[in-house]
Amino acid sequence: MTPPSEFWPAPAADHPVTATVSIGGSKSITNRALIIAALSSTPSTIHGALRSRDTDLMISALKAMGTEIRTGSGYSGAPNHTLEVNPRVLRGGTIDCGLAGTVMRFVPPIAAIATGSVFFDGDPEARVRPMGAVLDALRDLGADIDGDALPFTVNPVGDIGGEVEIDSSASSQFVSGLLLAGARYQKGLTLRTVGDVPSRPHIDMTIDMLRRAGVTVEESDGAFHVRNGEMRGRTWHVEPDLSNATPFLAAAAVTRGRVTVAGWPTDTVQPGDRIREILQAMGCRVLLKPRGAHESGVHDLTVEGPASLHGINLDMGDIGELTPTVAAMAALADTPSELTGIAHLRGHETNRLAALVAEINRLGGRATELDDGIRIEPAPLHGGDWMSYADHRMATAGAIIGLRVPGVRVEDIATTGKTMPDFDMRWSEMVGLPLAPEEDAP
């Protein structure tokens, strides 16, 4: 695996990429299942849990607060494993958020019911990510918090809960984090949102999973209502991470190739499922084939790239996490693209709008930042260094462009370990390049 902070020569494909790939479990589902399991009254089992930096950080955070989590299957290089979760009374501790938005936004709401103080910190880049909305909302619900951004401390209090208003325009994670904890608040939770809520499918995912754990969640009169009550432990089966699949499907789109992602769920709330219609609109052929009667609801998704990729005009407000993949394809398209509704991406792992414009233009492209998005016009690209900004999706976007543009080097490809360990090795295998032999340890 490429060491951190080094430049990785992105493989260029001088032929159509043809491959079948398997994708690790959904980070979003894994970390929500872990939170719900930690708050439940009985043990839970999570099958297909993603093994990545973000999910490891969530496991460590919950363990630090007293939850018992055991790995029920060996890692052995596989992207998934089985977790056995035994809930315990939450206690004080120290939490390393890394750069994981789900940890820094989901864990403070449950820390508010811990028996001791919980200290939060993370990577330097995490300290500038928006946190004020969720911390202010927790204070309004009765929490005692020192600080307005990382690092901060959540101190123990008595009763918590009730009605609160939150500015959710910066991240849907603010809403999901409070909803996940609401049933354990003595007064329950009524949550009113102010401003447009981005990435609504992630909130729908949260509500669906809470209901499957026995939580009463209703939406009416412009508010979410979570009734105080028991969460029940259960067995979770984690779907493949469809957003992580999108760079591999994009490889077919930009090389006139054919890539199949195995095990694509057809009844899912994951926003990554929208990549199918996006690829079709850009000129690709998209085929969804059932795997067989013994795997109901599971298909293999195949994408065949067109002779020429077309640009797209698209409101991506609900699917902002797909923006780096779509922007990379747009930079290689034959007509202009406008991706809008994504002003909230300025508060992601990095300011993704500014980063995409800077890096596409660094390679000779013509990208312009808009008030709520990005415009990309066709232009011949050349090789050069593509900076990742410690952002896993920026790194994979550089890899996509590198397939068609020889000489692209991606800085810190190891940052993809946030959600996709060994991405660089899997990408090289997909392209058909031999892997470099590992050096013997000294």
Side-chain angles (χ1 to χ4, degrees):
M1 190 168 181
T2 306
S5 300
E6 292 189 4
F7 283 91
W8 173 69
D14 57 3
H15 57 279
V17 169
T18 303
T20 298
V21 297
S22 296
I23 303 298
S26 164
K27 177 203 73 174
S28 297
I29 295 175
T30 298
N31 278 354
R32 282 165 173 77
L34 280 164
I35 289 280
I36 293 171
L39 296 176
S40 294
S41 58
T42 55
S44 296
T45 300
I46 306 173
H47 293 297
L50 175 66
R51 181 68 188 267
S52 70
R53 188 187 184 212
D54 273 19
T55 53
D56 285 349
L57 285 166
M58 181 64 83
I59 290 169
S60 296
L62 296 175
K63 283 184 173 180
M65 297 172 65
T67 305
E68 292 183 9
I69 303 175
R70 294 182 290 108
T71 302
S73 59
Y75 176 36
S76 303
N80 301 331
H81 55 176
T82 296
L83 301 174
E84 304 287 346
V85 183
N86 289 302
R88 295 289 183 264
V89 174
L90 297 177
R91 65 189 185 214
T94 297
I95 307 299
D96 175 13
C97 299
L99 194 52
T102 49
V103 178
M104 68 180 73
R105 276 80 177 262
F106 291 2
V107 180
I110 70 170
I113 63 171
T115 59
S117 295
V118 184
F119 175 75
F120 291 81
D121 203 356
D123 293 356
E125 296 87 355
R127 294 184 174 187
V128 299
R129 293 192 70 177
M131 282 297 301
V134 71
L135 298 182
D136 287 344
L138 286 170
R139 289 188 181 99
D140 290 343
L141 291 168
D144 177 11
I145 302 173
D146 300 326
D148 296 310
L150 289 171
F152 61 85
T153 301
V154 181
N155 299 305
V157 295
D159 289 351
I160 186 173
E163 185 168 341
V164 70
E165 187 176 87
I166 187 171
D167 180 359
S168 56
S169 59
S171 176
S172 66
Q173 290 175 347
F174 297 154
V175 177
S176 285
L178 291 166
L179 293 177
L180 286 166
R184 291 293 306 274
Y185 292 167
Q186 294 90 335
K187 302 174 185 176
L189 175 70
T190 293
L191 179 60
R192 299 188 181 278
T193 60
V194 177
D196 295 332
V197 181
S199 303
R200 174 64 201 231
H202 281 115
I203 296 175
D204 295 336
M205 177 189 295
T206 299
I207 293 171
D208 174 69
M209 293 181 69
L210 284 169
R211 287 173 174 163
R212 285 193 274 160
V215 176
T216 299
V217 185
E218 298 174 346
E219 186 176 358
S220 63
D221 301 324
F224 300 96
H225 308 275
V226 184
R227 185 182 303 170
N228 168 262
E230 178 186 12
M231 290 189 192
R232 296 191 294 269
R234 68 189 306 278
T235 297
W236 298 96
H237 295 275
V238 179
E239 299 172 357
D241 195 311
L242 305 188
S243 294
N244 280 349
T246 63
F248 296 93
L249 298 174
V254 303
T255 67
R256 306 181 186 181
R258 179 185 173 94
V259 171
T260 297
V261 172
W264 195 275
T266 52
D267 183 14
T268 179
V269 296
Q270 288 191 64
D273 191 44
R274 291 277 303 279
I275 194 65
R276 292 188 289 145
E277 63 190 65
I278 294 171
L279 288 165
Q280 285 182 314
M282 297 184 79
C284 297
R285 186 179 182 210
V286 179
L287 309 169
L288 201 60
K289 182 179 180 181
R291 302 200 81 184
H294 65 291
E295 293 188 75
S296 177
V298 178
H299 291 59
D300 289 339
L301 178 68
T302 299
V303 170
E304 297 177 353
S308 184
L309 198 63
H310 308 315
I312 190 171
N313 294 329
L314 184 64
D315 183 337
M316 301 189 69
D318 282 343
I319 52 173
E321 65 190 53
L322 305 186
T323 301
T325 293
V326 178
M329 293 192 292
L332 299 168
D334 60 4
T335 56
S337 296
E338 277 199 12
L339 312 178
T340 57
I342 45 177
H344 61 284
L345 295 191
R346 295 186 173 97
H348 276 221
E349 282 81 345
T350 188
N351 180 339
R352 281 183 177 161
L353 298 184
L356 285 166
V357 168
E359 299 313 305
I360 290 171
N361 291 347
R362 188 196 305 274
L363 302 184
R366 294 176 61 193
T368 306
E369 187 172 345
L370 309 175
D371 287 344
D372 71 337
I374 182 173
R375 177 175 173 80
I376 302 170
E377 300 180 61
L381 303 182
H382 55 71
D385 292 341
W386 176 280
M387 308 306 292
S388 69
Y389 304 81
D391 185 332
H392 58 135
R393 301 205 192 280
M394 282 298 300
T396 57
I400 294 167
I401 290 178
L403 288 172
R404 281 268 304 275
V405 183
V408 172
R409 302 194 313 161
V410 179
E411 180 253 350
D412 190 14
I413 194 66
T415 197
T416 54
K418 177 177 168 63
T419 56
M420 269 195 293
D422 301 329
F423 167 82
D424 53 343
M425 297 172 60
R426 300 189 66 198
W427 194 257
S428 296
E429 288 180 320
M430 177 192 69
V431 178
L433 298 182
L435 300 180
E438 295 185 4
E439 297 181 2
D440 294 334

